[in-house]
Structure formats: structure tokens, C-alpha cells
Amino acid sequence: MSYADVYGRWKSDPESFWMEAAQGIDWDQAPSKALFDDKAPIYEWFSDGMVNTCWNAVDRHVEAGRGEQTAIIYDSPVTHTKQEITYFELRNRVAYLAGALRAKGVEKGDRVIIYMPMVPQALEAMLACARLGAIHSVVFGGFAAHELAVRIDDAKPKCIIAASCGIEPGRTVHYKPLLDGAIEQATHKPEFCVIYQREQEVAQLIEGRDYNWHGFQYGVEPADCVPVEGNHPAYILYTSGTTGQPKGVVRHTGGHLVALNWTMKNLYNVEQGDVFWAASDVGWVVGHSYICYGPLIHGNTTIVFEGKPVGTPDAGTFWRVISEHKVKSFFTAPTAFRAVKREDPTGEFVKKYDLSNLQAVYLAGERADPDTIVWAQDQLKVPVIDHWWQTETGWGIAANPLGIEELPVKLGSPSVPMPGYDVQILDEAGHPVPAGELGAIAIKLPLPPGTLPTLWNAEPRFRKSYLDHFPGYYETGDAGMVDEDGYLYIMARTDDVINVAGHRLSTGGMEEVLASHPEVAECAVIGVADNLKGQLPLGFLCLNAGVNRPHDEIVKECVKLVRDQIGPVAAFKLAVVVDRLPKTRSGKILRGTMVKIADGQEFKMPATIDDPAILDEIAEALKTLGYPQAA
């Protein structure tokens, strides 16, 4: 069947398309139908089915006689560790951890926050929650205490599962002090914490609250899988980079299982038993969908990699892992390839390894620049597929579906919409625009299974953020266009979110932090182009009248504030003091124009600008930081 056939089949009868896809999952009680639309525009999928995610990801493969197959390969160049865990071993580990959690009172519907690095125990913790019907929320390991506290107060977890530390090249990240600080700051207090003690750093446990991962499981009864409704939340994942209330994206169990299982073959073209590697982190959506759940639900072998594309130990790490573990399908962010390309432009490291098992590479997380794709194609001699999705959707909106048909690659485009996504380009008034014209990218409701049905405890905010602007559509927040062949092009964010090394961060969130500095009167943060990380944040600070301290001192303090409040992930190091910011007459800061100046692009003088002379002042200030960078 061709892509056009499959997409057409979905479009003409979405109900039977998704009911058929649902047959790839083990249900305790099959759903009576796919779509539940009685509360539109709030839609749900497979709501009346009963199902368990952990059963589908682990136990069913053991029951089917495939228990000896490797489920997880742990490869950690930073600790010099390699380990394989079979489905049989994984089932036992997860059942005992779930039993220990249950013995301490964790039940269906309870929330559990997981704050762990890239170790197999992070996946075991996620699966143990799923086994009990508890709702997990993974917070990226090493996020600042303040950010963790905000999430604790929103999710109100019964317990927190954490590791003693994370390991970065050349340094240890002390998780436990961050966790203790977060619990101290949070209004909600978890009943207990489980700490996985790593040999690189043994953390101090607080008597009566903290339990050691191993001791905690001693002598417990293993837990069976608890069936939950199809619309029971599997997890909450907070979108990163806001210092206000974070948005807790909710994922319902039934649709999540069906959609991810469907994508493994159709998008990524892997069969049961094949090795699939997503080089991401469990703290991000890619880690949820394609390190933990997707590959295991589909019966693949997944890789948990604790390292970096370069420096652990060199720019050949990716190729070593692919060669050693016979990876068939590889998924990473363009940033990672840019880092490798910068260290090894001629691909000397690629030549050292046998990559004959590799059949395709997938890029996502930010726009894949044509240079990077061409370099990867030349080096690896396999299809390099850019595809586009969001934390909110949980799986690809647009892709080149290699398991259905390999479509021609167009550089700069993530190809075509997947079944379930009716993608439209709209003008400000919500009317579709012709092919080739730029507009807001929106998806006609309902969104497919596996996408967000709402935000955690925040339905009004869900409607306001995604549904209200274009009634009948989900607003992606991205701008782009569709060409005459139906290929989609993502051009920019329509708001102020920037992409730093694949991490989506809100410049508004950083502005809130900078504005809290006692001597900053007003500020703006923009994303400037960066060869390695895609974008870097750059701050403009207007100081209160009468401040006469050296500017570089204030800049240093502001950089530290962002680091403490949002974390090192923001990579916030560039800031400059200016007299005033360019604004429209109605007082909106012209961030887009400032970005163009910083990136050395031509721009039209905005018609609504209040004082054009300010743009020259901004250009002068940027020169002091070396922007625009010489080509």
C-alpha cells in the first residue's frame, strides 16, 4: 500500500482505521469504539476499553515466549558500563518495584515524580507506575530546584523516585541536594522518596522519608498489572522553560498505546526484535515515546545511552553504539549531528565502524538545516529523515513513513502529514491559504490517538492555549507552508519559544527571571542563531534610573539568576545593557526585528515602530557581543 492509500483510508473512515490499529494492543476489555466526541472540542480515544501499558510493553512479550530477547541495552560511556536486560528480567524488576511502591500506598491515579538520569532504572520506574495505574511525571534530571518545586506543587505526587546523581563529562550533577531543596520550597510534600544510589555518589538519606532503591524492595510481593480505562492518564509531561505555571501535557493510556505501536513499523520501519535507538533523554517527550514506550510496546530492543555525541570519548560515539549493538533505526536531534560534524567534518570516525545494520536516521526536536542533512546523507549512505512533532502530540505530525513507502526527500521539509493529522495553513482570520504561502500551522480536530486530550488540572488553559484562536482546530504555535505536492515546511515559532539544542525554552520565562533583578527595569530575550545549538538566548537589559554599578557586574548576576531559576539547560550566557527597547506604538517589543539584526538578516522597518533610531542602538549593543557573527 502507498502512503496516499493509507492516508486516504484514514481520511475516509477514521473510526475503522483506528479500531484496526487498536488490534495491535492487548486489551483486558476491548473498547466499543475509537473516538469519544460527546464533549467536543475535548476529544478522547478508546475511553471505555480496559488496558495496562506495562503489560503491553513487558509482560505480553514474556508470555509470547520472547522473554529471552533483550529489552534494554544500557550503554554508558561516562561510567564505562554496558548491560543488557531481557524482557524476562525487566518484568521481574518492574513487578518488584511496583510491589514495593504499592506496599507504601501508591495506587491507581496517584502521581509519582521521577527525577533520574539516563539509567535503565528510570524506565523501570516509569513502567512500575504504569503497572499500578499510577500517573508518572518525569522531570529532566538536574533541572533547578525551583523548577522541580513548581512541578511538585502542580502534580502533587505521593512519592518521588530519584537517583543520587547524574554524570556529565567531567562533572557529577548532585541530584539529591536539588531534590531536597525542591521539597523544601514546595508547598506540597511527598509522603516518601525512593533514591537509587549510584556508586559515583552516595547521597545522604533523610530518616523516615527517604528509602534506598534496593532496600525498599526487599521482601515485597511483586505486583500484577492493574487494568485502567482507555482515558486514564498514563503520564503528565511538563513543557519546559516557563517560570510561571508549567503546562502539564496529559497522555491518555489507550490512545498512547495504539498510536506508538502503529508508528514503530509504519514510520520507523522496525520489526519485532529489531534494535531501535533514540538518543534523547527520558526527561523529554522523545524519551517517553521512543526510548521507553514505543520500542517496548512493539517488542523491539531499546537503547538507554548515557553520554554525549562528542567528548564521551570522541565524535565516534554514535557510530560505535550503532555498530556494536546493531542498531537498525536511529533517532536524534540535528544539534547532536552538528556537534559531531563540527568535530569530524570529513567523517573520519564514521569510517572506523561497521554501520551495515543501520537502515535509516530520523531527526527531530528542531528544524533540521539542509547542511546537516546533506552531511549525514553523505557520511552514512542511508535515508536521513527529518520529521516534525511536539511534546503535545507525542508522535510525528509529519514524516516520511519508511514502513509504508519511502517518499522523495525534500531538504528543509519533514515531508507529509501522518494519518490522523489533517494539517492546514491558516491566515490570521482562520482561513486556509494557498500552497506556497506562509501562515499558521493548525490541525483540524479531532487530533489522533496518543496526542494530548487536555492539560493537567487546567482545561481552561488548554482551550485558551490551543483551541480558542482557530475554532475547530488545534493551533500548533508554528508557522509554515505546504507546497503543491503536499509537503510541509516549518519556518518559525509563532510565539517566543526558542530551541536550544533541541530543548524548547520560553524566552518569556527567561524575561520573567531577568526582570526579578532589583536593578533591571525592563528586558527582552531573543533567540540568536548558533551553529552548534541551533539557537542561543540573548538578553537585553534596561536598568533603573540612577544605577551606576559596572554593567558587567549586573550582567553576571543576571546570568546567574537564569542559571539558578531555569537551570544550565537554558545556556543563558549572553546579555547586554541598553538604554531602551524597540517597540510598537502599542508597546509591544519588536523581538522579531531584533533577531534579524542579531542574525545579520535584512529586515523591513516595522510600520508600527515608535522610534526607528532605537534599532541602530540595538545594532551597536549587539556588536559588543560579536553579533552579527561573521559568515
Side-chain angles (χ1 to χ4, degrees):
M1 259 187 145
S2 69
Y3 157 76
D5 293 336
V6 175
Y7 191 81
R9 225 184 83 226
W10 160 71
K11 212 159 184 183
S12 63
D13 191 354
E15 182 68 24
S16 74
F17 182 92
W18 290 118
M19 282 303 271
E20 189 181 310
Q23 289 170 14
I25 295 304
D26 281 8
W27 299 87
D28 291 80
Q29 180 189 312
S32 63
K33 58 178 183 169
L35 180 67
F36 288 71
D37 57 2
D38 44 318
K39 294 189 291 230
I42 305 294
Y43 294 92
E44 292 180 353
W45 294 91
F46 312 114
S47 302
D48 62 358
M50 297 296 289
V51 70
N52 183 278
T53 296
C54 185
W55 172 272
N56 276 283
V58 185
D59 301 61
R60 70 165 170 166
H61 306 306
V62 178
E63 299 293 323
R66 295 176 45 249
E68 291 309 312
Q69 185 200 310
T70 303
I72 297 170
I73 296 171
Y74 172 49
D75 189 307
S76 169
V78 292
T79 60
H80 310 289
T81 309
K82 289 178 200 170
Q83 179 192 11
E84 295 196 5
I85 300 166
T86 65
Y87 273 102
F88 182 75
E89 290 166 326
L90 183 61
R91 181 186 67 178
N92 292 352
R93 287 175 175 225
V94 170
Y96 279 105
L97 179 58
L101 290 169
R102 190 182 56 192
K104 294 287 299 169
V106 175
E107 291 174 11
K108 177 186 168 186
D110 287 337
R111 274 81 60 211
V112 175
I113 279 183
I114 298 170
Y115 185 63
M116 295 185 97
M118 283 297 289
V119 291
Q121 288 75 12
L123 276 62
E124 290 165 20
M126 294 164 80
L127 292 162
C129 291
R131 196 172 190 86
L132 299 173
I135 302 163
H136 67 67
S137 185
V138 181
V139 177
F140 180 71
F143 247 14
H146 168 77
E147 287 286 329
L148 180 54
V150 170
R151 288 155 173 74
I152 291 171
D153 279 338
D154 195 67
K156 300 188 171 43
K158 186 171 272 188
C159 94
I160 298 180
I161 302 176
S164 56
C165 65
I167 294 145
E168 296 280 326
R171 74 188 177 108
T172 301
V173 183
H174 316 290
Y175 282 13
K176 187 60 169 46
L178 291 168
L179 173 64
D180 292 343
I183 293 174
E184 202 174 298
Q185 283 181 42
T187 313
H188 172 88
K189 309 293 180 195
E191 290 178 20
F192 65 99
C193 299
V194 181
I195 309 298
Y196 175 65
Q197 297 277 26
R198 305 191 70 183
E199 57 196 46
Q200 289 76 15
E201 175 171 283
V202 176
Q204 190 171 353
L205 302 187
I206 294 172
E207 187 67 38
R209 185 195 78 186
D210 298 342
Y211 293 85
N212 178 311
W213 174 276
H214 293 291
F216 165 74
Q217 299 183 51
Y218 183 72
V220 302
E221 284 292 305
D224 286 331
C225 296
V226 176
V228 300
E229 298 77 9
N231 62 356
H232 179 73
Y235 68 76
I236 304 162
L237 180 57
Y238 290 97
T239 54
S240 58
T242 44
T243 55
Q245 267 314 91
K247 283 198 262 200
V249 168
V250 173
R251 198 81 67 215
H252 280 177
T253 302
H256 178 237
L257 283 164
V258 172
L260 289 185
N261 186 58
W262 185 88
T263 61
M264 293 309 296
K265 171 62 184 153
N266 290 284
L267 256 72
Y268 301 108
N269 199 23
V270 287
E271 311 290 347
Q272 266 192 344
D274 285 339
V275 181
F276 181 87
W277 179 24
S280 179
D281 189 284
V282 287
W284 313 120
V285 71
V286 173
H288 284 61
S289 294
Y290 294 111
I291 295 173
C292 184
Y293 291 115
L296 295 177
I297 292 162
H298 193 250
N300 293 110
T301 297
T302 188
I303 295 184
V304 173
F305 171 74
E306 189 182 26
K308 294 276 184 267
V310 297
T312 59
D314 53 41
T317 304
F318 276 0
W319 322 132
R320 174 190 67 75
V321 172
I322 290 167
S323 167
E324 220 167 273
H325 305 305
K326 301 191 166 25
V327 173
K328 182 174 172 185
S329 197
F330 175 50
F331 181 151
T332 189
T335 309
F337 270 11
R338 282 198 285 268
V340 173
K341 174 178 158 212
R342 185 175 171 179
E343 295 278 311
D344 183 25
T346 57
E348 293 311 306
F349 280 106
V350 182
K351 301 181 182 82
K352 294 182 181 177
Y353 296 97
D354 170 11
L355 303 180
S356 56
N357 275 82
L358 184 66
Q359 294 194 2
V361 171
Y362 290 82
L363 299 176
E366 65 202 308
R367 198 158 173 266
D369 53 296
D371 279 6
T372 301
I373 291 182
V374 170
W375 178 84
Q377 285 170 339
D378 290 349
Q379 296 300 332
L380 302 171
K381 313 281 191 273
V382 296
V384 178
I385 305 297
D386 181 21
H387 66 321
W388 172 62
W389 45 297
Q390 303 178 319
T391 300
E392 288 86 349
T393 66
W395 60 282
I397 303 169
N400 193 329
L402 296 192
I404 301 172
E405 154 183 44
E406 186 181 330
L407 300 169
V409 168
K410 293 191 184 192
L411 289 178
S413 167
S415 303
V416 292
M418 289 297 94
Y421 295 101
D422 182 349
V423 178
Q424 307 273 334
I425 313 293
L426 306 177
D427 63 19
E428 245 329 285
H431 302 303
V433 302
E437 266 185 42
L438 196 64
I441 306 174
I443 300 163
K444 212 167 175 43
L445 295 175
L447 289 176
T451 57
L452 85 167
T454 186
L455 294 172
W456 181 250
N457 284 343
E459 192 183 295
R461 187 172 176 198
F462 170 68
R463 289 171 179 265
K464 184 172 178 284
S465 299
Y466 303 105
L467 307 182
D468 287 355
H469 190 173
F470 300 120
Y473 290 91
Y474 162 86
E475 182 184 5
T476 66
D478 279 306
M481 60 177 209
V482 169
D483 71 11
E484 56 290 342
D485 299 326
Y487 278 62
L488 190 61
Y489 292 79
I490 319 299
M491 310 309 278
R493 286 295 294 169
T494 47
D495 65 357
D496 60 351
V497 171
I498 64 168
N499 207 316
V500 181
H503 306 323
R504 280 185 48 204
L505 298 166
S506 156
T507 52
M510 292 181 218
E511 287 171 5
E512 271 179 52
V513 174
L514 295 174
S516 71
H517 188 287
E519 284 161 321
V520 171
E522 189 179 31
C523 62
V525 175
I526 61 169
V528 295
D530 180 75
N531 285 340
L532 188 59
K533 296 201 170 191
Q535 281 180 301
L536 282 177
L538 187 152
F540 297 91
L541 312 170
C542 301
L543 304 183
N544 291 322
V547 172
N548 52 15
R549 288 171 55 214
H551 288 176
D552 57 337
E553 271 179 31
I554 294 169
V555 166
K556 261 199 202 105
E557 290 162 9
C558 285
V559 168
K560 183 176 184 310
L561 263 182
V562 175
R563 195 179 175 83
D564 290 348
Q565 292 281 315
I566 292 177
V569 68
F572 186 86
K573 297 182 184 99
L574 300 170
V576 62
V577 174
V578 292
D579 281 336
R580 49 202 187 140
L581 297 169
K583 292 182 183 172
T584 63
R585 292 190 194 93
S586 64
K588 283 199 174 73
I589 297 170
L590 293 160
R591 291 182 185 81
T593 309
M594 292 158 80
V595 170
K596 288 203 158 121
I597 297 171
D599 289 346
Q601 295 176 350
E602 282 183 40
F603 64 92
K604 272 193 189 142
M605 182 65 69
T608 53
I609 192 165
D610 194 18
D611 182 355
I614 301 178
L615 294 179
D616 296 330
E617 297 166 21
I618 294 293
E620 288 305 314
L622 281 164
K623 277 182 193 154
T624 67
L625 294 174
Y627 285 85
Q629 293 178 325

